[in-house]
Amino acid sequence: METQPSHFEENLICPVCYNVFRDPVLLLCSHTFCLDCLEQYWEHTDSQICPICRTEFCMGNPPYNLALKNLCEIFVQERNKKASADELLCSLHGEKLKLFCLEDKHLACKMCVNVDVHVNHTCRPLDEAAEGLKEVLKTQLKSLIEKLKVLKNEKFICNQRAKHIKNQAQQTEACIKEEFDQLHQFLQDEKVARLATLREEEEQKRKILDEQILKINCELSSLKERIRATEEEIQSNNISFLLNYKGQLEITKCTSPECPEKLPEVLIDVAKHLGNLKFNVWQKMRVVTQYIPVILDPNTAHPCLHLSNNLADVRFGQWSQQAPGYPKKCDGYTSVLGSKGFSAGTHYWDVEVGDNTTWALGVISESVIKARDNLPISGLWRLGYHNGKYGQGFSGDVLTPFVVKEKVQRIRVYLDFNRGELSFLNPLNDTHLHTFKHTFTEKVFPYFCNVCPCQMLRILPVQNSITGM
């Protein structure tokens, strides 16, 4: 018959597994659970809630209750000592097993040590041997615990990234639908406009024909009336006919057949409406399908940077809880990279900086991308503006100042990879600002840094040229 746990022991039992706490953790609601029990419960519920009061948290790994953990370990040790009060006997000699052979890792009695299997072996009293060996296991246990912490942290990061991926997919899907809705709306508006133009031309041509038909009907009525009168005169008696002949002859001469007026061009200009229809609509779509030469990569954006739906604008704001990879708010500069790198050819992109008070633009080598938040580094060529001064640099945290005659509103970044030149210009007045010369040996990515909450950085679109043959 099982004995009921004491009141003291009841306070050491996990409410999930009903065993003495193992690695107890304390939630913000003051309830305590075994860490493994809590994690298994959270896996089934897919959210961080308390199994007792159902309070929801967003806290990552909960803190250990060290005091309770130590108390539980002491309780288990005392319970084990009581359980070992009934000592075991040696199966060979019938003596009590009071020793432990360190070589064979086996319990032994005095006879085993003196005359039998454990002669010349190092044997220790049970308590002494247990304490020493427990220390060995504790040492090994530390590495296991550390590995467990690493794996749990990796699992937490994976769960966070899974949620982030879901949010990314939902937001991207919404943006895709919005883009296609705009295209559909443009095509719908274009269809309505072209059909309205066709209907308007049809109405104009029909109006011209209606007026011509009305004129012809009037002439037909007049002509029929004169034919009838002439026929009546021919049927009249000779005296009456001769008396009216002169006047009737004039009427007949007036109604002699003439060449009808040439009808105006009233056919629908089908070629105008259908000729190169798709191409002409495609040309008009350039207004709503601007080409952005550099697309920002949200996966490289610092959590304080927020990108527009078209991934061309970047603004500085509050820390985003959805951004993985930045566990501390103090980590990293507020930078974002272009989604595609360059390893050959010439490329340029214009950036609207406006009245932004703190910014930097340039390119960064692929091998130093992960280290870009831990300057000083080499492999980052940039031009920046801070505290009312312009500066340039290719490594380190400090930019070398240089003089600009007037404040720049727009920057053109021009990369000639093959010639090893990275130039910065003011495209509004075609002014050269600075040029880096370097033999690029690996792919480089566009680099953008914004620390001004009042003004975004905007990559400007370029004219999308569409021409016919």
Side-chain angles (χ1 to χ4, degrees):
M1 184 175 181
E2 296 184 357
T3 59
Q4 294 293 330
S6 65
H7 182 68
F8 172 74
E9 185 177 354
E10 287 179 350
N11 289 278
L12 304 180
I13 294 178
C14 172
V16 174
C17 65
Y18 299 105
N19 293 317
V20 176
F21 285 115
R22 290 165 291 129
D23 296 326
V25 291
L26 179 65
L27 298 183
L28 296 178
C29 59
S30 299
H31 291 124
T32 303
F33 306 91
C34 297
L35 179 59
D36 289 339
C37 297
L38 186 62
E39 289 183 341
Q40 291 177 9
Y41 181 81
W42 283 352
E43 286 181 358
H44 290 296
T45 58
D46 197 28
S47 61
Q48 294 185 336
I49 59 176
C50 174
I52 296 179
C53 65
R54 313 294 292 179
T55 301
E56 188 169 355
F57 305 97
C58 183
M59 58 187 297
N61 293 328
Y64 281 103
N65 190 336
L66 296 179
L68 182 58
K69 179 180 180 180
N70 294 334
L71 189 61
C72 291
E73 290 178 351
I74 294 173
F75 173 78
V76 171
Q77 290 175 359
E78 293 298 325
R79 186 176 62 181
N80 291 338
K81 285 182 180 180
K82 291 181 180 179
S84 62
D86 298 331
E87 296 175 324
L88 299 176
L89 299 179
C90 177
S91 60
L92 295 177
H93 308 105
E95 296 286 334
K96 292 182 179 181
L97 298 172
K98 294 185 177 181
L99 300 173
F100 184 80
C101 178
L102 298 181
E103 280 84 350
D104 295 335
K105 307 295 189 293
H106 197 279
L107 292 173
C109 67
K110 292 182 178 180
M111 295 293 294
C112 293
V113 173
N114 294 328
V115 297
D116 215 327
V117 292
H118 299 290
V119 176
N120 299 326
H121 286 186
T122 303
C123 296
R124 295 285 184 270
L126 297 184
D127 291 342
E128 180 183 341
E131 288 298 323
L133 295 177
K134 284 181 180 180
E135 291 300 322
V136 174
L137 288 182
K138 285 181 180 180
T139 302
Q140 296 181 349
L141 182 62
K142 288 181 181 180
S143 62
L144 294 178
I145 293 175
E146 288 300 321
K147 185 176 181 179
L148 179 65
K149 290 181 180 179
V150 171
L151 291 177
K152 288 181 177 179
N153 185 58
E154 289 293 328
K155 180 181 177 181
F156 175 76
I157 293 175
C158 287
N159 289 332
Q160 292 297 103
R161 286 183 176 174
K163 293 180 181 179
H164 183 62
I165 289 173
K166 184 177 180 179
N167 291 333
Q168 279 186 314
Q170 292 175 344
Q171 294 174 4
T172 304
E173 179 182 352
C175 291
I176 291 174
K177 289 180 179 179
E178 182 180 354
E179 292 289 328
F180 274 93
D181 287 343
Q182 292 177 2
L183 292 176
H184 292 160
Q185 188 61 48
F186 171 83
L187 292 175
Q188 181 66 23
D189 294 343
E190 187 66 18
K191 181 180 75 172
V192 171
R194 288 180 177 270
L195 290 176
T197 301
L198 175 62
R199 298 288 178 262
E200 183 179 356
E201 182 179 350
E202 179 189 14
E203 186 66 25
Q204 291 175 352
K205 299 298 175 64
R206 286 182 62 87
K207 185 177 181 181
I208 294 173
L209 286 177
D210 289 343
E211 292 176 352
Q212 189 68 16
I213 292 173
L214 179 61
K215 182 179 179 181
I216 292 174
N217 287 336
C218 292
E219 293 181 358
L220 285 173
S221 298
S222 176
L223 183 58
K224 288 179 181 180
E225 179 61 27
R226 289 169 183 175
I227 290 172
R228 185 193 61 76
T230 302
E231 289 176 344
E232 288 181 354
E233 287 296 329
I234 293 173
Q235 297 297 326
S236 65
N237 58 62
N238 292 337
I239 295 176
S240 176
F241 172 77
L242 294 173
L243 289 173
N244 296 325
Y245 174 73
K246 184 178 180 179
Q248 194 65 40
L249 182 62
E250 292 297 325
I251 294 174
T252 304
K253 288 181 179 180
C254 291
T255 58
S256 60
E258 297 178 356
C259 294
E261 295 182 9
K262 185 178 180 180
L263 293 176
E265 188 63 45
V266 292
L267 299 179
I268 296 294
D269 190 354
V270 177
K272 181 185 72 174
H273 294 285
L274 294 183
N276 288 323
L277 176 60
K278 293 179 181 178
F279 180 80
N280 293 332
V281 173
W282 188 23
Q283 280 190 315
K284 292 189 68 175
M285 287 182 68
R286 285 184 296 173
V287 178
V288 294
T289 55
Q290 294 177 325
Y291 177 74
I292 308 297
V294 171
I295 300 300
L296 301 175
D297 183 3
N299 294 331
T300 65
H302 185 277
C304 285
L305 293 183
H306 304 269
L307 309 185
S308 59
N309 288 342
N310 66 349
L311 304 180
D313 303 341
V314 52
R315 64 178 179 83
F316 179 84
Q318 293 183 345
W319 184 276
S320 173
Q321 297 294 336
Q322 297 181 348
Y326 285 87
K328 299 179 181 179
K329 292 190 176 183
C330 59
D331 285 349
Y333 290 96
T334 53
S335 62
V336 61
L337 306 183
S339 59
K340 292 184 178 180
F342 307 116
S343 56
T346 59
H347 312 272
Y348 79 91
W349 53 96
D350 291 352
V351 182
E352 190 77 41
V353 297
D355 295 326
N356 193 302
T357 58
T358 305
W359 53 265
L361 304 172
V363 298
I364 184 172
S365 296
E366 185 174 26
S367 62
V368 299
I369 287 177
K370 292 183 178 180
R372 76 182 193 270
D373 296 331
N374 299 299
L375 298 176
I377 60 171
S378 59
L380 173 58
W381 300 267
R382 66 202 190 281
L383 182 144
Y385 181 77
H386 181 58
N387 289 334
K389 296 181 181 180
Y390 293 90
Q392 54 80 20
F394 61 90
S395 65
D397 194 16
V398 179
L399 296 179
T400 303
F402 68 95
V403 178
V404 176
K405 293 182 179 179
E406 60 181 70
K407 193 173 188 302
V408 181
Q409 298 289 315
R410 186 175 299 178
I411 298 289
R412 173 167 295 174
V413 184
Y414 185 88
L415 172 67
D416 190 331
F417 190 96
N418 298 337
R419 294 182 61 182
E421 293 182 354
L422 177 68
S423 299
F424 298 87
L425 308 98
N426 181 352
L428 297 179
N429 56 16
D430 199 24
T431 302
H432 174 264
L433 300 175
H434 185 75
T435 295
F436 291 103
K437 292 187 177 182
H438 178 80
T439 301
F440 299 109
T441 58
E442 59 179 311
K443 184 180 292 186
V444 295
F445 288 77
Y447 174 90
F448 305 84
C449 178
N450 182 14
V451 197
C452 175
C454 303
Q455 177 73 50
M456 68 176 64
L457 297 180
R458 171 170 294 172
I459 303 171
L460 299 178
V462 298
Q463 184 65 34
N464 188 11
S465 177
I466 303 175
T467 59
M469 298 297 293

